[in-house]
Amino acid sequence: MAHQWTWTLALLVVWVSTCIEVLCCLCSSAASSLWHMNDFIKAVEQLEDGNPQLAPLAVLRSLRGAAGLNDAFIQHFLGNASSGGLEMDASLSDYMGKAVRHRVTEDGREQGVALTSDGTTVALKPLLLGIEAGFLSKTKGHVVGLYQLTLAKDLGLSFKHVHRSPLSPRLGPDGCWDNVTSPKVFTLSGSPSLITTAQVNGGMDGVILGMEIFVQSGHPLKLSSLLKAYYCHRLENEGLDVVQHPISPQRREKFRELIVPPLLARQVVRSINLRRRLKGHPKMQVKEKKQLMAVVNKGMKEFVFQYMNCPAIIPRCAWDAEPYRGTPTLLSLPLSFMYIHHTSTPSQPCLTFEQCAADMRSMQRFHQEDRGWDDIGYSFVAGSDGYIYEGRGWHWQGAHTYGHNSRGYGVAFIGDYSSRLPSQHSMGLVRDQLASCAVGGGRLVGNFTLQGHRQVVNTLCPGDAFYKEIQGWEHFGEVKE
């Protein structure tokens, strides 16, 4: 009997051990299908730890090889992708290949993109190509292919496609994840162009980090350390006002510091010419060159406005908004006013995407449940994390300034600013970018007037520190009932 129990126990141990191994494999498989930047960075760390002898440039070339990114255009600037003695098991290689290889499916799903901790989505291909160009440029002494590999080629393809098919979108769109906690599927919010918002974000980040590598002194950081510093930075109470190194919420402003539109336009044209040459096509004639420049210049105006002048806006789906209740009222555009508010509850600034998204949900619940409104009252909300959050948006009338809701957008700063000011960065987002972007619902037409108001309907408080501050903003006016 004892012998029988011994064998039964032994079999049970073997069975449990086998189940644990299977479950661990299933957990590993599930984790590998999550497309968050933190998961990708962990995978890069695993790769680096298994190959401590390899320099960052060799790691990047191996990632490019795993993703099959070795066409003639990329080789022209970066050379061949190769394993370079790197050891990578099949599951990790499969994950890396899927993570870096970018494509949009017929049903509007965008692959090869990752959700970052700041709530934005980034295509990994242009990001890593830009970083690799930065490391390679450091050895050559001059920047090699940085703009062409990150943005210029894709912009050129999109501009030319729209020229041939005028009804096609030129840029964007953004999209929504199935779950921001465990992101697996990213679906675009409209018809895709040949360069989506995630590609633009990845391209901008590739330019910023590639140039950062090129100009920095000392030994290069590991790839995982570089990505951590950029995407995983935790803001202090002062927000972006005191950040000393580039981080992802500064993406657009840092990109504006590095690039001037005419230079980027020239790089777009060079990319188009290089692709023609690599395909064996004859040299363009003078007339064709002029037509190409006209197409590129037109496309660049839209790119500059959409991605350099306007602020990044976190869409409703990202902060998990409840649906609008009832039938929304369409605004008659263009609008002439923007009404500035600050919140009494939440009273503290939000410094992370998670907190800002939670504050948005809290305000929406208050407005819908306690006030009985159809939706969150504001058109847009400014966090202290570096982003604007979509409320009712560009096209639907808000409930923010009694008697004036149809005349302008209502924008609230998260936090009680009766005795202090929002961060300079947050105020700049609204004053310098959102305002210029807002006329006509995201199209730049005419002049714009900013007007100051508290969250409390129909009540002005001239003693507020924030009220005094925005009196100095250009074209400031008062709401009078």
Side-chain angles (χ1 to χ4, degrees), residues 64 69-79 125 129 149:
R64 182 155 55 92
L69 304 181
N70 209 28
D71 60 55
F73 187 90
I74 294 174
Q75 284 188 39
H76 177 82
F77 297 106
L78 301 178
K125 174 184 172 182
L129 290 178
L149 291 165

Side-chain angles (χ1 to χ4, degrees), residues 94-255:
D94 180 63
Y95 171 80
M96 289 300 192
K98 290 178 180 177
V100 179
R101 194 162 43 243
H102 180 270
R103 76 185 189 105
V104 176
T105 65
E106 290 184 359
D107 58 354
R109 295 184 176 187
E110 188 170 10
Q111 300 174 347
V113 298
L115 174 66
T116 69
S117 296
D118 64 12
T120 59
T121 299
V122 170
L124 292 167
K125 174 184 172 182
L127 165 68
L128 295 178
L129 290 178
I131 294 174
E132 186 175 346
F135 278 116
L136 187 63
S137 297
K138 201 166 184 66
T139 63
K140 292 180 175 292
H142 63 282
V143 180
V144 179
L146 180 61
Y147 305 108
Q148 292 96 328
L149 291 165
T150 53
L151 278 171
K153 176 188 172 185
D154 290 335
L155 286 174
L157 290 172
S158 185
F159 296 163
K160 287 186 68 179
H161 178 71
V162 173
H163 180 65
R164 292 192 297 266
S165 306
L167 296 180
S168 301
R170 196 188 311 274
L171 299 165
D174 205 340
C176 298
W177 287 95
D178 57 334
N179 187 310
V180 294
T181 304
S182 303
K184 295 182 180 180
V185 178
F186 185 71
T187 305
L188 294 171
S189 57
S191 300
S193 70
L194 293 185
I195 182 164
T196 65
T197 293
Q199 286 176 274
V200 173
N201 288 342
M204 287 184 172
D205 291 349
V207 168
I208 294 165
L209 292 178
M211 189 59 72
E212 182 79 2
I213 292 163
F214 176 68
V215 301
Q216 74 180 2
S217 58
H219 296 291
L221 291 171
K222 292 195 301 182
L223 175 59
S224 60
S225 301
L226 186 72
L227 296 174
K228 276 184 183 178
Y230 188 73
Y231 290 109
C232 304
H233 183 85
R234 302 293 292 185
L235 293 174
E236 303 295 334
N237 291 335
E238 296 85 355
L240 289 167
D241 291 351
V242 296
V243 174
Q244 298 298 316
H245 62 84
I247 61 175
S248 54
Q250 299 171 314
R251 175 181 295 118
R252 296 194 182 194
E253 63 190 82
K254 291 300 180 184
F255 183 77

Side-chain angles (χ1 to χ4, degrees), residues 2-3 66 71 88 112 121 171 176 191 220 243 270 273 290 296 302 334 369 394 408 412 419 440 448 451 469-470 477:
H3 182 71
D71 60 55
M88 183 168 22
T121 299
L171 299 165
C176 298
S191 300
V243 174
R270 288 176 184 174
N273 286 332
K290 288 183 178 179
V296 170
E302 186 173 334
E369 302 298 335
W394 295 122
S419 58
F448 203 73
Q451 298 205 344
E469 168 68 20
I470 62 174

Side-chain angles (χ1 to χ4, degrees), residues 3-13:
H3 182 71
Q4 183 180 353
W5 273 109
T6 301
W7 275 105
T8 303
L9 182 61
L11 289 171
L12 182 62
V13 169

